[in-house]
Amino acid sequence: MKCFDRHWRRALLGICLSAGLVSPALSAESVTLNEAIEKALSQNANVRIADETIEERAAKTRQASLLPNPEVGVEVENILGSGPYAGTDEADVTVGLSQLIETGGKRGNRIEASRLAETVATAEREAVERRLRERVAHAFNRLLAAQLDMELANAAAARIRDLVPALRERFERGASSEADLNRGLLALDLAEIEAQTMQREQRFAEQTLLALWSEAVYRPVRAKGALDIPDAALPAFSELLSRLDHHPSIRGARQVVGQRRAAFDLEKSNASPDVTLGAGARRFTGTDESAFLFSVSIPLTVFDRNQGNIDAAASQVVQADLDAQQMRVELVRELQEVYATYSSRCSEAARLSRSVIPASEKTAAEIEEGYLRGRFGVLDLLGAQETMIDARLQATEAILACRNAYASLDSLTGPFAEGELK
């Protein structure tokens, strides 16, 4: 019984497809893929966080370039004591100015480490944008597919409602069995349940897209366009592999290595003791005389030579280099998988659209006409309709996978053609 129910359901859906019935569009904001991407880039919280990170590290670079502040000091001696020093008549007042002089190239190394941290943040921002474009494209494609599924489900339910009175009339005339009528009624229930399911799927797809726009409250959104195969000539894998080296994640990982090396140089320079120079004037109140003084102080690196921080910085350089290597390995693996998916699923979708679907539609139309004339039975009609539906569903799935793989290739290697995906 379950098998026949499935046959009826698919057959009636096929009749709806042949009739070209569609449900009315919901009142919703319609966006193209480019509009959806631009909206995400302007509203997505991750992009804004990445922008703020760049600003933060640029500010730290400016801070790193500043010289140490000079220090001013005042010292008063020989006051509030006993005898002649009971008051302030014998006070010696010293006013001095001191300046820390950094040695060992600390300032230059500090600036270089901060500057490289800024370039890392820029590369990370580019990586965030690429991934966001990919995710928006996937969500947009899924919404396109969900809209198509919902239109077909609504059309199927509407068509079954129109057929049920005819089935009832045929049963009452004795032209068909009660089982056929029951199958029609059951098919209507299933079609309405399927329409509700597709409505939930479409809403989920809409919410996924809204989340990429950093919108938490649901509102209707409609993807504008057709679920077509991307019109793109796929470059050779070797060319895509060479482009992968320009991926911002790989560039960022390599820049992290440079940043860690600059931090290592900074820690080595921190082992050099800084020099503090001082100059001032002293006033001897008791004799009404004055004198200048100069001072130099240098820390003695007897115990702390910054050896622990130097060793830690050296280890961080090795870690960053290994991270960069692993990053490339993972992206190459991802590229291989996406390349294979794009090649196979786009070819599958093209073959289904070019030959299989037209042939199944033609066969279904001929069998339906023959069924109405009594030349074919119900099972022939159901089989032909099921084949047509399977071909269309398989084509939709293949096109969706093809388009998503195209978006992933664009994210990994950069666009290799312009204007193929609308």
Side-chain angles (χ1 to χ4, degrees), residues 320-336:
D321 187 59
L322 293 173
D323 287 341
Q325 296 178 33
Q326 186 61 30
M327 173 67 70
R328 191 178 189 282
V329 169
E330 292 176 358
L331 288 180
V332 168
R333 177 192 56 78
E334 184 178 351
L335 178 62
Q336 290 171 334

Side-chain angles (χ1 to χ4, degrees), residues 360-382:
S360 66
E361 290 174 346
K362 180 180 179 181
T363 301
E366 291 175 350
I367 293 181
E368 182 178 352
E369 182 181 357
Y371 171 75
L372 296 175
R373 296 181 179 181
R375 294 204 307 254
F376 297 105
V378 173
L379 292 180
D380 297 320
L381 176 62
L382 294 176

Side-chain angles (χ1 to χ4, degrees), residues 102-124:
E102 294 180 303
T103 64
K106 292 185 181 68
R107 180 167 174 265
N109 291 334
R110 186 170 62 246
I111 293 173
E112 180 65 10
S114 295
R115 185 189 65 80
L116 288 172
E118 188 177 348
T119 63
V120 169
T122 301
E124 290 173 346

Side-chain angles (χ1 to χ4, degrees), residues 293-306:
L293 59 88
F294 299 93
S295 65
V296 178
S297 64
I298 303 175
L300 298 178
T301 56
V302 177
F303 305 110
D304 182 6
R305 299 183 301 277
N306 206 39

Side-chain angles (χ1 to χ4, degrees), residues 253 256-257 260-261 316-326:
V256 169
V257 176
R260 297 288 176 82
R261 286 174 179 162
Q316 289 177 345
V317 172
V318 176
Q319 294 175 35
D321 187 59
L322 293 173
D323 287 341
Q325 296 178 33
Q326 186 61 30

